[in-house]
Amino acid sequence: MGDNIFAKIIAKEIPAQIVFEDDRVMAFWDIAPKAPVHILVVPKKDIPNIGAAQTSDEPVLGHLLTVAAQLARQEGIDATGYRLVINKGPHAGESVPHLHVHLLGGREMGWPPG
Ligand code: AMP
């Protein structure tokens, strides 16, 4: 497992506001929310970023998305809508080297992103 903040959350070495967990993924509230709903969905497997994902990771990548959609329903933002974001690399503002899907909702968002 990589040595980064999300690896430590997955290992339960540091606390997080966990909203979902199964054998493959974990979801927890973002510590600095950018929207009324801002949850991060992460694979338990050490995948540093989407560019490092392998074909064999496709089942867990799909699971990240269906878990995110389920959490959106749970948080009551399915009807108003939401955005799923994966940042990769410096131009996208990636800051934690463990793959994560941002679930953002609860307010209207602009497009294109800044
Ligand atoms: P990114 O910029 O796409 O790499 O997203 C990283 C996200 O992780 C940011 O939105 C941070 O606010 C969030 N974050 C950093 N540390 C923590 C933490 N300890 N618990 C929850 N979220 C965190």
Side-chain angles (χ1 to χ4, degrees):
M1 187 57 90
D3 184 24
N4 61 74
I5 198 91
F6 293 170
K8 290 187 170 74
I9 288 172
I10 292 163
K12 308 241 168 93
E13 289 169 12
I14 64 162
Q17 211 180 325
I18 297 168
V19 286
F20 179 84
E21 179 176 11
D22 65 13
D23 56 326
R24 290 185 287 167
V25 308
M26 185 182 273
F28 48 89
W29 281 84
D30 195 290
I31 204 167
K34 315 301 186 289
V37 174
H38 189 174
I39 291 170
L40 302 170
V41 191
V42 310
K44 288 191 171 176
K45 182 182 175 190
D46 180 18
I47 304 174
N49 59 65
I50 191 63
Q54 307 292 310
T55 305
S56 58
D57 294 321
E58 285 173 2
V60 74
L61 297 179
H63 193 48
L64 290 174
L65 298 184
T66 55
V67 166
Q70 173 59 33
L71 290 169
R73 284 189 287 274
Q74 203 171 297
E75 294 298 326
I77 57 169
D78 182 68
T80 48
Y82 53 89
R83 188 170 291 171
L84 302 180
V85 173
I86 297 175
N87 292 320
K88 158 71 169 88
H91 277 190
E94 180 199 344
S95 61
V96 179
H98 183 104
L99 179 61
H100 47 286
V101 176
H102 296 257
L103 166 62
L104 294 150
R107 68 168 170 83
E108 221 170 294
M109 283 171 273
W111 189 264

